[in-house]
Amino acid sequence: MLSLRVSFVAVLVSLPIAYALAWLLARRRFPGMIVLDALVHLPLVLPPVVTGWLLLIAFGRGGEIGAWLYENFGITLVFNWTGAALAAAVMALPLMVRAMRLSIEAVDRRLVGAARTLGASSWKAFLTVTLPLSIPGIAAGAMLGFARSLGEFGATITFAANIAGETRTLPLAIYTGLQTPGGEDAVTRLAIISIILSLGALVLSEWLVRRAQGGRAHVL
């Protein structure tokens, strides 16, 4: 249940950020775009422990952001389940952005142009054309992010630690079980649960992508 809560919150928090980045990378050309694209996808290639360490520097009690959150709002992310959600969100963000960006790029610009010709503002054209047609990609990205959040280990244990009942998600519980004598049965059960949840999310994500592709083919 802790893993489901962490994954759900991670996806919920990162969803609008991921879509905004996806739209920016898909629809705009600007200086530094390559750098932004690289930064967005950096967690995919960076060791997760390094990502967790960077989060610790930024959001720990001694970090600039972490100190500001604690002093002004009393919020502490490190060694807390919300910190685990933050770590999962950062690690899931690149996959979400990628899926959403592909979905936005697949929206025919001529449809947006037609809406503008009919008098719609750029914002209304986005709400009535781009956003609805990219919803399957948004859902697919959310499912991918959810699956990635369920499997997050390195950044979580570095930033939020391995605290029973607080930050010990499925991967951390499996790791703990492997280090505990006689924990094989618990590890087996947790591994099966993890496989079922992750596989279900991936299958749903693929189904949404195929459905989106079929819908675009029907429109064309």
Side-chain angles (χ1 to χ4, degrees), residues 105-117:
E105 288 176 342
V107 176
D108 195 336
R109 289 176 179 266
R110 292 174 296 181
L111 297 176
V112 179
R116 295 297 303 276
T117 301

Side-chain angles (χ1 to χ4, degrees), residues 93-134:
L93 186 68
L95 293 177
M96 297 175 67
V97 170
R98 190 168 185 84
M100 295 178 191
R101 180 179 178 179
L102 292 174
S103 181
I104 294 171
E105 288 176 342
V107 176
D108 195 336
R109 289 176 179 266
R110 292 174 296 181
L111 297 176
V112 179
R116 295 297 303 276
T117 301
L118 294 173
S121 63
S122 58
W123 181 244
K124 187 174 182 180
F126 166 77
L127 291 176
T128 58
V129 179
T130 304
L131 183 60
L133 291 178
S134 61

Side-chain angles (χ1 to χ4, degrees), residues 51-171:
T51 302
W53 175 70
L54 293 173
L55 289 173
L56 194 59
I57 292 176
F59 291 92
R61 289 283 292 272
E64 292 292 334
I65 302 176
W68 181 80
L69 288 174
Y70 181 75
E71 291 172 3
N72 292 277
F73 304 102
I75 297 175
T76 301
L77 295 176
V78 67
F79 307 138
N80 193 293
W81 77 268
T82 53
L86 174 62
V90 171
M91 298 302 296
L93 186 68
L95 293 177
M96 297 175 67
V97 170
R98 190 168 185 84
M100 295 178 191
R101 180 179 178 179
L102 292 174
S103 181
I104 294 171
E105 288 176 342
V107 176
D108 195 336
R109 289 176 179 266
R110 292 174 296 181
L111 297 176
V112 179
R116 295 297 303 276
T117 301
L118 294 173
S121 63
S122 58
W123 181 244
K124 187 174 182 180
F126 166 77
L127 291 176
T128 58
V129 179
T130 304
L131 183 60
L133 291 178
S134 61
I135 283 178
I138 296 173
M143 289 298 100
L144 283 175
F146 183 80
R148 180 64 186 87
S149 297
L150 282 173
E152 167 48 34
F153 176 81
T156 301
I157 198 171
T158 304
F159 178 59
N162 184 9
I163 305 172
E166 185 65 36
T167 65
R168 185 173 294 171
T169 55
L170 271 174

Side-chain angles (χ1 to χ4, degrees), residues 135-137 204-218:
I135 283 178
L204 182 57
S205 174
E206 181 64 20
W207 177 77
L208 289 169
V209 170
R210 291 180 180 274
R211 182 180 179 184
Q213 292 174 341
R216 287 194 295 268
H218 178 72

